[in-house]
Amino acid sequence: MQQLSTQPVASQQAKLDLKASSPWLDAWRSLRKNKLAMTGICIIIIFILIGLLAPVLATHDYRVPVLADRLLPPSSQHWLGTDDLGRDNLTRIMYGARVSLTVGFFSVILSLIVGSTLGVIAGYYGKWIDGIISRFFDILFAFPSILLAIAIVAALGPSLQNALFAIAIVNIPTFGRLVRSKVLSLKQEEFIVAAKAQGMKDRRILFIHLIPNSLAPIIVQGTMGIASAIIEAAALGFLGLGVQPPEAEWGKMISDSRQYFVNAPWTVVFPGLSIMITVLGFNLFGDGLRDVLDPKMKN
């Protein structure tokens, strides 16, 4: 009797376990076991909070020069010192985080949407459509990404919006080729063939089957792409093609202070460390996602 009474309980528990399990939930559980990936997540969250809370945390005005305080070393009043115009470095790094993360996130989102759309169309329809889109990708890949971004910003004019737009353009073929190759392999699968045999429309096949099954590599590439976008934004800022004064941006801060590196190294070191740590966080997180979401990387 006792054995019979425990069977419904065991069956109910098994059903609960099945409900609590899904591919994305399993991926999150695996990701939590990856210490490096979780370290990357913590770094990303910290810098996002720093950027969002910059107006609250900042103790100085990041725009107004104070020439009497120029090139002061780190102290209790200015934790990371001041720049050549007497502005607090910590405050400017906080506001610089907003710019770098904004460019990183939105440029990747834009390039992901455009590149993935073109990749899906090229991979699914093939023939001359694939030929035209693939040649477009080849043209963009023919130029070094940073040189193409410099050319675009130089043509449009230096500004944050144009820098974001340029970085998005140079990353379009990366997402496009990735999605195209994934769609080419997926459309040969039996469930796609069965969907076509049942008369399912192309739009439903794309949005119900192909795109959802291509999300894993897109997410991984998007995470790694944010790190690359932050570096490219810093490079454009260093060349004076990104954010314009008096706005704060890490690459621009390094460019403005490079001549003071010997006498005031804190003006260059701290913005450089901010770039390095942020990029490291996204790379660690991206590596963890790749290990979890890529079946080839699983043991």
Side-chain angles (χ1 to χ4, degrees), residues 224-246:
M224 308 291 280
I226 294 174
S228 299
I230 291 174
I231 295 176
E232 291 166 354
L236 292 175
F238 184 86
L239 297 173
L241 298 174
V243 173
Q244 299 302 298

Side-chain angles (χ1 to χ4, degrees), residues 48-62 90-98:
I48 290 175
L49 291 177
I50 288 174
L52 292 175
L53 299 177
V56 178
L57 299 175
T59 56
H60 301 78
D61 193 323
Y62 74 100
L90 178 59
T91 300
R92 289 182 63 78
I93 287 174
M94 289 180 181
Y95 279 92
R98 308 179 92 182

Side-chain angles (χ1 to χ4, degrees), residues 211-291:
I211 294 178
N213 283 285
S214 302
L215 283 179
I218 292 175
I219 292 173
V220 174
Q221 182 59 43
T223 306
M224 308 291 280
I226 294 174
S228 299
I230 291 174
I231 295 176
E232 291 166 354
L236 292 175
F238 184 86
L239 297 173
L241 298 174
V243 173
Q244 299 302 298
E247 298 298 325
E249 192 273 328
W250 294 337
K252 183 62 175 172
M253 291 175 66
I254 295 174
S255 176
D256 293 340
S257 303
R258 66 184 187 278
Q259 58 183 319
Y260 306 107
F261 179 72
V262 175
N263 297 324
W266 56 86
T267 58
V268 176
V269 170
F270 291 122
L273 284 175
S274 300
I275 297 172
M276 185 194 73
I277 295 173
T278 306
V279 171
L280 176 64
F282 280 103
N283 284 336
L284 290 176
F285 181 43
D287 287 339
L289 282 177
R290 182 190 59 193
D291 295 342

Side-chain angles (χ1 to χ4, degrees), residues 24 120 124 183 186 191-192 194-196 198-215:
W24 294 106
V120 167
Y124 184 74
V183 170
L186 284 174
F191 67 94
I192 299 295
K196 290 181 179 180
Q198 292 174 359
M200 184 178 291
K201 294 183 179 180
D202 291 344
R203 184 175 62 181
R204 287 179 57 84
I205 294 175
L206 291 175
F207 285 97
I208 295 179
H209 294 296
L210 291 178
I211 294 178
N213 283 285
S214 302
L215 283 179

Side-chain angles (χ1 to χ4, degrees), residues 15-137:
K15 292 181 180 179
L16 291 175
D17 292 339
L18 288 174
K19 290 181 181 180
S21 179
S22 69
W24 294 106
L25 186 59
D26 293 340
W28 168 244
R29 289 169 178 167
S30 299
L31 188 65
R32 285 191 302 177
K33 299 177 182 179
N34 190 323
K35 295 182 179 179
L36 291 178
M38 296 308 297
T39 301
I41 292 176
C42 291
I43 292 173
I44 293 170
I45 292 174
I46 289 172
F47 274 93
I48 290 175
L49 291 177
I50 288 174
L52 292 175
L53 299 177
V56 178
L57 299 175
T59 56
H60 301 78
D61 193 323
Y62 74 100
R63 295 180 177 180
V64 179
V66 184
L67 297 180
D69 294 339
R70 65 188 305 269
L71 298 178
L72 292 178
S75 63
S76 58
Q77 186 177 1
H78 301 282
W79 289 5
L80 301 183
T82 61
D83 63 6
D84 59 309
L85 296 179
R87 298 170 296 191
D88 184 67
N89 274 334
L90 178 59
T91 300
R92 289 182 63 78
I93 287 174
M94 289 180 181
Y95 279 92
R98 308 179 92 182
V99 174
S100 295
L101 292 175
T102 298
V103 173
F105 279 110
F106 284 99
S107 64
V108 167
I109 290 173
L110 181 59
S111 59
L112 187 153
I113 293 173
V114 177
S116 298
T117 302
L118 293 176
V120 167
I121 295 173
Y124 184 74
Y125 290 103
K127 299 181 181 179
W128 62 270
I129 297 177
D130 185 19
I132 293 175
I133 295 176
S134 296
R135 296 300 77 75
F136 171 68
F137 292 158

